[in-house]
């Protein structure tokens, strides 16, 4: 049987943004959550699932063509909240970004181009740019009395320029996932 790899396409974050986001981890010590390691912080554009080496090569070729049609753009992160929206109990804590036309167009172009050649299940819900800061341990979260659940609605102001898009493999390890960039392509200036 052919080996498969868990693959997603992401926008990596500059180091200064990662350092700023990690500073918020201590704001909710009572929250039962597994916090994302600093090096794993990113914005997922598309989770492709388990792919073969041939499918990964196709994805890399598609990404190379898609980025040529898009310019670098700004991403504004403006709040830290529970996510996804209206999910009870919440599954994550994330830093959410403002929706932008540039990001929307890139995501749509990428999704359409990938679906022509690669079999994967795209998300049904509307795309909201976000960075997963923590995954909530649901069984422990349910044990917290409702009035004791910490409110998470932190206003932040972090901007950065999205300059490249990456094909990333997620290898599940004992201490948590390890992300390996398989290929990175720069957007146009």
């Amino acid at each position: 049987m052919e080996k498969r790899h868990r693959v997603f396409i992401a926008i990596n974050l500059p180091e200064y943004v990662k350092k700023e986001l990690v500073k918020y981890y201590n704001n909710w010590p009572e929250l039962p959550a597994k916090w994302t390691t600093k090096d794993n912080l990113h914005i997922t554009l598309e989770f492709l699932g388990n792919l073969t080496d041939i499918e990964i090569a196709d994805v890399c070729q598609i990404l190379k063509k898609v980025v040529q049609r898009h310019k670098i753009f700004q991403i504004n992160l403006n709040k830290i909240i529970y996510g996804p929206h209206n999910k009870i109990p919440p599954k994550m804590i994330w830093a959410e970004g403002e929706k932008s036309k540039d990001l929307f167009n890139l995501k749509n172009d990428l999704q359409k181009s990938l679906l022509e050649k690669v079999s994967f299940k795209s998300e049904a819900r509307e795309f909201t740019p976000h960075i997963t800061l923590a995954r909530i341990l649901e069984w422990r979260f349910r044990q917290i009395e409702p009035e004791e659940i910490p409110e998470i609605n932190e206003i932040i102001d972090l901007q950065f320029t999205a300059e490249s898009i990456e094909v990333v493999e997620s290898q599940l390890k004992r201490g948590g996932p390890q992300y390996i960039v398989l290929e990175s392509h720069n957007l146009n200036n």
Side-chain angles (χ1 to χ4, degrees):
M1 188 157 106
E2 192 170 5
K3 184 176 186 216
R4 293 188 166 264
H5 311 267
R6 284 173 53 89
V7 175
F8 61 92
I9 297 178
I11 297 172
N12 205 344
L13 309 177
E15 193 63 25
Y16 75 91
V17 172
K18 291 179 180 183
K19 284 180 180 174
E20 280 301 310
L21 291 173
V22 169
K23 289 178 184 177
Y24 289 94
Y25 285 16
N26 294 326
N27 288 13
W28 307 281
E30 70 284 11
L31 203 58
K34 177 141 177 52
W35 295 91
T36 304
T37 61
K38 179 175 69 76
D39 292 337
N40 283 358
L41 294 172
H42 66 277
I43 296 174
T44 300
L45 292 175
E46 207 64 67
F47 179 75
L48 302 175
N50 295 314
L51 303 182
T52 64
D53 290 339
I54 292 168
E55 290 170 320
I56 292 171
D58 288 342
V59 167
C60 291
Q61 285 302 311
I62 291 165
L63 182 60
K64 186 176 184 178
K65 289 176 185 168
V66 168
V67 296
Q68 292 171 0
R69 297 191 289 262
H70 296 272
K71 294 186 181 295
I72 62 174
F73 58 92
Q74 282 293 116
I75 293 180
N76 300 315
L77 301 173
N78 56 9
K79 57 188 163 186
I80 296 176
I81 58 173
Y82 286 117
H85 296 281
N86 304 321
K87 193 86 172 154
I88 299 184
K91 296 209 174 290
M92 297 173 245
I93 299 166
W94 66 30
E96 191 170 274
E98 294 173 6
K99 295 177 183 177
S100 76
K101 188 176 178 184
D102 291 324
L103 184 54
F104 178 80
N105 290 340
L106 172 64
K107 167 111 169 98
N108 279 355
D109 188 4
L110 183 61
Q111 190 176 69
K112 279 194 333 205
S113 299
L114 286 166
L115 283 169
E116 290 173 8
K117 190 114 177 164
V118 182
S119 177
F120 70 98
K121 188 176 178 180
S122 59
E123 279 206 36
R125 69 174 180 243
E126 184 183 355
F127 177 69
T128 301
H130 67 275
I131 299 152
T132 300
L133 302 180
R135 296 193 185 286
I136 293 176
L137 304 171
E138 189 177 333
W139 62 275
R140 286 186 42 209
F141 188 85
R142 288 183 184 276
Q143 294 172 345
I144 301 172
E145 294 296 326
E147 62 277 0
E148 309 255 326
I149 293 173
E151 183 179 331
I152 297 183
N153 191 8
E154 193 88 25
I155 302 302
I156 62 173
D157 184 21
L158 280 171
Q159 294 96 27
F160 68 96
T161 303
E163 296 178 355
S164 65
I165 311 298
E166 299 173 338
V167 178
V168 182
E169 179 180 355
S170 172
Q171 294 182 353
L172 300 178
K173 304 280 186 182
R174 210 165 205 206
Q178 180 184 2
Y179 297 158
I180 298 154
V181 175
L182 302 176
E183 203 162 288
S184 182
H185 292 284
N186 289 331
L187 294 160
N188 289 318
N189 284 321

